[in-house]
Amino acid sequence: GESVGLHLPTLSVQEGDNSIINCAYSNSASDYFIWYKQESGKGPQFIIDIRSNMDKRQGQRVTVLLNKTVKHLSLQIAATQPGDSAVYFCAENSRMDSSYKLIFGSGTRLLVRP
Amino acid sequence: NAGVMQNPRHLVRRRGQEARLRCSPVKGHSHVYWYRQLPEEGLKFMVYLQKENIIDESGMPKERFSAEFPKEGPSILRIQQVVRGDSAAYFCASSTSGGDNEQFFGPGTRLTVL
Protein backbone atom coordinates (compact mmCIF):
# COMPACT_ATOMS: atom_id res chain seq x y z
CA GLY A 1 0.00 0.00 0.00
CA GLU A 2 0.96 3.61 0.15
CA SER A 3 3.75 4.55 2.48
CA VAL A 4 3.00 6.98 5.24
CA GLY A 5 5.04 9.80 6.70
CA LEU A 6 6.58 7.86 9.57
CA HIS A 7 10.23 7.53 10.54
CA LEU A 8 11.81 4.62 8.74
CA PRO A 9 12.09 1.38 10.72
CA THR A 10 15.71 0.60 11.42
CA LEU A 11 17.54 -2.70 11.52
CA SER A 12 20.88 -2.63 13.31
CA VAL A 13 23.22 -5.59 12.77
CA GLN A 14 26.78 -6.47 13.63
CA GLU A 15 29.25 -6.60 10.77
CA GLY A 16 29.51 -10.17 9.55
CA ASP A 17 26.02 -11.18 10.70
CA ASN A 18 23.18 -11.92 8.32
CA SER A 19 20.43 -9.34 7.77
CA ILE A 20 16.79 -9.98 6.94
CA ILE A 21 14.61 -7.15 5.70
CA ASN A 22 10.89 -7.72 5.28
CA CYS A 23 8.26 -6.13 3.09
CA ALA A 24 4.52 -6.55 2.60
CA TYR A 25 3.15 -5.71 -0.83
CA SER A 26 -0.32 -4.59 -1.72
CA ASN A 27 -1.48 -5.95 -5.05
CA SER A 28 -2.11 -9.67 -5.41
CA ALA A 29 -1.98 -9.23 -9.20
CA SER A 30 1.61 -7.95 -9.15
CA ASP A 31 3.97 -10.44 -10.73
CA TYR A 32 7.35 -8.77 -10.61
CA PHE A 33 9.17 -7.55 -7.53
CA ILE A 34 12.43 -5.72 -7.01
CA TRP A 35 14.64 -4.78 -4.08
CA TYR A 36 16.45 -1.44 -4.27
CA LYS A 37 19.21 -0.01 -2.11
CA GLN A 38 19.34 3.75 -1.60
CA GLU A 39 22.33 5.47 -0.08
CA SER A 40 22.07 8.98 1.28
CA GLY A 41 21.78 11.56 -1.48
CA LYS A 42 21.61 8.99 -4.26
CA GLY A 43 19.02 7.32 -6.43
CA PRO A 44 17.78 3.77 -5.83
CA GLN A 45 20.15 1.06 -6.98
CA PHE A 46 18.85 -2.31 -8.20
CA ILE A 47 19.83 -5.25 -6.00
CA ILE A 48 17.78 -8.24 -7.09
CA ASP A 49 14.41 -9.06 -8.62
CA ILE A 50 12.01 -11.98 -8.62
CA ARG A 51 9.02 -12.98 -10.69
CA SER A 52 5.86 -14.43 -9.21
CA ASN A 53 6.48 -17.88 -10.68
CA MET A 54 9.41 -18.24 -8.28
CA ASP A 55 9.58 -18.26 -4.49
CA LYS A 56 13.32 -17.80 -4.09
CA ARG A 57 16.15 -16.24 -6.02
CA GLN A 58 19.78 -15.90 -5.06
CA GLY A 59 22.40 -13.40 -6.05
CA GLN A 60 25.82 -12.58 -4.71
CA ARG A 61 25.37 -12.44 -0.92
CA VAL A 62 21.66 -11.66 -1.34
CA THR A 63 18.58 -13.84 -1.45
CA VAL A 64 15.00 -12.77 -2.08
CA LEU A 65 12.09 -14.85 -0.83
CA LEU A 66 8.54 -14.41 -2.10
CA ASN A 67 5.44 -15.67 -0.30
CA LYS A 68 2.47 -14.92 -2.52
CA THR A 69 -0.02 -16.42 -0.07
CA VAL A 70 0.57 -13.67 2.46
CA LYS A 71 1.95 -11.10 -0.02
CA HIS A 72 5.33 -10.94 1.67
CA LEU A 73 8.87 -10.38 0.40
CA SER A 74 12.11 -10.65 2.27
CA LEU A 75 15.68 -9.73 1.45
CA GLN A 76 18.46 -11.65 3.11
CA ILE A 77 21.98 -10.25 3.09
CA ALA A 78 24.72 -12.66 4.10
CA ALA A 79 27.81 -11.53 5.99
CA THR A 80 26.64 -7.92 6.19
CA GLN A 81 29.34 -5.33 5.54
CA PRO A 82 29.58 -1.62 6.45
CA GLY A 83 28.99 -0.78 2.79
CA ASP A 84 25.56 -2.38 3.06
CA SER A 85 24.38 0.45 5.32
CA ALA A 86 21.58 2.16 3.40
CA VAL A 87 17.80 2.31 3.10
CA TYR A 88 16.26 -0.71 1.39
CA PHE A 89 12.99 -0.57 -0.53
CA CYS A 90 10.91 -3.31 -2.03
CA ALA A 91 8.91 -2.42 -5.12
CA GLU A 92 6.17 -4.18 -7.07
CA ASN A 93 5.40 -3.76 -10.72
CA SER A 94 1.72 -3.05 -10.71
CA ARG A 95 0.92 -3.73 -14.37
CA MET A 96 -2.26 -1.73 -14.02
CA ASP A 97 -3.78 -0.42 -17.26
CA SER A 98 -0.68 -1.31 -19.29
CA SER A 99 1.45 0.86 -17.04
CA TYR A 100 4.66 -0.54 -15.66
CA LYS A 101 5.00 1.83 -12.78
CA LEU A 102 6.65 0.64 -9.60
CA ILE A 103 4.90 0.86 -6.26
CA PHE A 104 7.46 1.24 -3.50
CA GLY A 105 7.22 0.10 0.09
CA SER A 106 8.06 2.47 2.91
CA GLY A 107 11.64 1.30 3.33
CA THR A 108 13.92 -0.05 6.06
CA ARG A 109 17.15 1.57 7.18
CA LEU A 110 19.99 -0.91 7.68
CA LEU A 111 22.77 0.13 10.05
CA VAL A 112 25.86 -2.05 10.22
CA ARG A 113 27.86 -1.84 13.44
CA PRO A 114 31.62 -2.36 13.02
CA ASN B 1 28.39 3.85 -20.48
CA ALA B 2 26.41 6.70 -19.02
CA GLY B 3 23.44 5.92 -16.82
CA VAL B 4 20.41 8.08 -16.30
CA MET B 5 21.40 11.73 -16.08
CA GLN B 6 19.37 14.32 -14.22
CA ASN B 7 19.94 18.01 -13.93
CA PRO B 8 20.08 20.12 -12.04
CA ARG B 9 21.02 18.05 -9.00
CA HIS B 10 19.79 20.78 -6.68
CA LEU B 11 17.23 23.45 -7.48
CA VAL B 12 16.03 26.27 -5.27
CA ARG B 13 12.92 28.19 -6.18
CA ARG B 14 10.75 30.78 -4.46
CA ARG B 15 7.04 30.22 -4.13
CA GLY B 16 5.27 31.02 -7.39
CA GLN B 17 8.26 30.37 -9.65
CA GLU B 18 8.56 27.56 -12.16
CA ALA B 19 10.78 24.50 -11.79
CA ARG B 20 12.03 22.52 -14.80
CA LEU B 21 13.68 19.19 -14.13
CA ARG B 22 15.49 17.36 -16.90
CA CYS B 23 16.17 13.67 -17.39
CA SER B 24 18.29 12.00 -20.03
CA PRO B 25 17.60 8.25 -20.06
CA VAL B 26 20.14 5.52 -20.60
CA LYS B 27 21.11 5.51 -24.28
CA GLY B 28 18.68 3.34 -26.17
CA HIS B 29 15.98 3.45 -23.50
CA SER B 30 12.63 4.70 -24.74
CA HIS B 31 10.62 4.46 -21.51
CA VAL B 32 10.90 7.09 -18.80
CA TYR B 33 9.32 7.24 -15.36
CA TRP B 34 9.24 10.08 -12.83
CA TYR B 35 8.94 9.49 -9.08
CA ARG B 36 8.82 11.85 -6.10
CA GLN B 37 10.33 11.13 -2.70
CA LEU B 38 9.67 13.00 0.52
CA PRO B 39 12.19 12.64 3.39
CA GLU B 40 11.98 9.31 5.19
CA GLU B 41 9.47 7.94 2.67
CA GLY B 42 9.43 5.63 -0.31
CA LEU B 43 9.27 6.82 -3.88
CA LYS B 44 5.83 7.69 -5.24
CA PHE B 45 5.08 7.19 -8.93
CA MET B 46 4.14 10.31 -10.88
CA VAL B 47 4.18 9.67 -14.62
CA TYR B 48 5.28 7.13 -17.24
CA LEU B 49 6.20 8.28 -20.73
CA GLN B 50 7.41 6.84 -23.98
CA LYS B 51 8.78 8.97 -26.79
CA GLU B 52 6.19 11.69 -27.50
CA ASN B 53 3.50 9.87 -25.49
CA ILE B 54 2.23 9.95 -21.93
CA ILE B 55 1.28 6.40 -21.00
CA ASP B 56 0.23 6.83 -17.38
CA GLU B 57 -0.03 10.10 -15.48
CA SER B 58 -2.15 8.78 -12.64
CA GLY B 59 0.37 9.95 -10.04
CA MET B 60 0.62 13.52 -11.29
CA PRO B 61 -1.22 16.28 -9.43
CA LYS B 62 -3.98 17.60 -11.67
CA GLU B 63 -2.73 21.16 -11.62
CA ARG B 64 0.66 22.83 -12.07
CA PHE B 65 2.53 19.63 -13.02
CA SER B 66 3.30 18.48 -16.54
CA ALA B 67 5.76 16.14 -18.21
CA GLU B 68 7.01 15.50 -21.69
CA PHE B 69 9.44 13.20 -23.46
CA PRO B 70 10.02 14.66 -26.92
CA LYS B 71 11.34 12.80 -29.92
CA GLU B 72 14.67 14.51 -29.45
CA GLY B 73 16.16 15.62 -26.17
CA PRO B 74 15.58 14.88 -22.51
CA SER B 75 12.37 14.28 -20.65
CA ILE B 76 11.17 17.37 -18.77
CA LEU B 77 9.12 17.52 -15.58
CA ARG B 78 7.69 21.01 -15.20
CA ILE B 79 6.17 22.41 -12.04
CA GLN B 80 4.48 25.77 -12.36
CA GLN B 81 3.85 28.18 -9.49
CA VAL B 82 5.73 26.05 -6.99
CA VAL B 83 4.59 25.83 -3.38
CA ARG B 84 6.53 24.70 -0.31
CA GLY B 85 4.84 21.29 -0.44
CA ASP B 86 6.57 20.64 -3.77
CA SER B 87 9.92 20.44 -1.95
CA ALA B 88 11.13 16.87 -2.48
CA ALA B 89 13.59 14.72 -4.38
CA TYR B 90 12.45 13.93 -7.89
CA PHE B 91 13.85 10.80 -9.50
CA CYS B 92 13.76 9.75 -13.10
CA ALA B 93 14.12 6.13 -14.20
CA SER B 94 14.38 4.58 -17.65
CA SER B 95 13.99 1.14 -19.14
CA THR B 96 14.42 -0.46 -22.54
CA SER B 97 10.75 -1.35 -22.70
CA GLY B 98 7.83 -1.82 -20.37
CA GLY B 99 7.00 -4.96 -18.49
CA ASP B 100 9.44 -6.86 -16.37
CA ASN B 101 12.43 -4.78 -17.28
CA GLU B 102 14.73 -3.18 -14.80
CA GLN B 103 14.20 0.50 -14.27
CA PHE B 104 17.50 2.32 -13.91
CA PHE B 105 17.33 5.35 -11.66
CA GLY B 106 19.10 8.67 -11.94
CA PRO B 107 20.69 10.55 -9.02
CA GLY B 108 17.65 12.75 -8.55
CA THR B 109 16.94 16.47 -8.42
CA ARG B 110 16.42 17.93 -4.97
CA LEU B 111 13.93 20.77 -5.19
CA THR B 112 13.71 23.26 -2.35
CA VAL B 113 10.94 25.84 -2.39
CA LEU B 114 11.55 28.84 -0.16
Side-chain angles (χ1 to χ4, degrees):
Chain A
E2 296 292 323
S3 61
V4 295
L6 302 173
H7 291 296
L8 290 171
T10 299
L11 174 66
S12 180
V13 300
Q14 192 72 37
E15 181 179 357
D17 287 351
N18 297 334
S19 304
I20 300 176
I21 299 171
N22 296 303
C23 175
Y25 63 92
S26 58
N27 186 356
S28 57
S30 294
D31 59 3
Y32 178 56
F33 305 88
I34 314 100
W35 279 99
Y36 284 95
K37 173 186 180 183
Q38 187 177 28
E39 297 174 288
S40 181
K42 296 183 178 180
Q45 177 187 359
F46 174 92
I47 301 173
I48 191 168
D49 59 3
I50 189 168
R51 288 171 171 72
S52 59
N53 61 351
M54 304 172 70
D55 53 20
K56 180 179 180 179
R57 188 159 188 233
Q58 288 185 289
Q60 187 177 13
R61 281 202 309 119
V62 295
T63 301
V64 55
L65 299 177
L66 173 62
N67 185 330
K68 294 181 288 293
T69 302
V70 295
K71 294 190 288 187
H72 183 268
L73 273 171
S74 68
L75 176 70
Q76 301 177 5
I77 305 173
T80 313
Q81 302 170 359
D84 295 328
S85 293
V87 177
Y88 289 81
F89 294 98
C90 65
E92 59 185 296
N93 189 315
S94 74
R95 285 187 176 279
M96 291 173 64
D97 300 323
S98 299
S99 174
Y100 301 108
K101 64 187 178 189
L102 295 176
I103 298 175
F104 281 79
S106 52
T108 298
R109 189 185 310 280
L110 177 65
L111 294 176
V112 181
R113 303 187 305 272
Chain B
N1 185 16
V4 176
M5 309 287 282
Q6 289 188 252
N7 67 82
R9 295 292 310 278
H10 300 272
L11 182 61
V12 179
R13 285 287 178 267
R14 296 189 181 280
R15 281 178 295 172
Q17 291 184 320
E18 178 180 289
R20 291 173 69 90
L21 287 62
R22 286 176 290 278
C23 169
S24 296
V26 173
K27 187 176 181 180
H29 286 191
S30 58
H31 296 242
V32 165
Y33 313 78
W34 285 93
Y35 296 84
R36 176 164 63 178
Q37 185 178 36
L38 297 173
E40 300 287 295
E41 293 190 11
L43 282 72
K44 299 284 181 65
F45 168 79
M46 299 182 73
V47 61
Y48 164 37
L49 310 104
Q50 295 178 25
K51 285 284 187 181
E52 300 184 279
N53 286 304
I54 296 174
I55 307 303
D56 179 359
E57 56 182 347
S58 59
M60 288 275 273
K62 293 289 185 283
E63 298 177 348
R64 300 188 299 107
F65 285 71
S66 62
E68 62 177 8
F69 187 19
K71 186 176 180 181
E72 300 291 338
S75 176
I76 305 289
L77 179 67
R78 183 182 178 203
I79 311 172
Q80 295 178 290
Q81 299 174 325
V82 296
V83 301
R84 288 206 174 124
D86 296 333
S87 295
Y90 292 82
F91 291 96
C92 170
S94 73
S95 64
T96 54
S97 62
D100 301 343
N101 288 290
E102 181 182 343
Q103 293 183 21
F104 294 82
F105 281 82
T109 293
R110 276 144 189 86
L111 173 65
T112 301
V113 180
L114 303 178

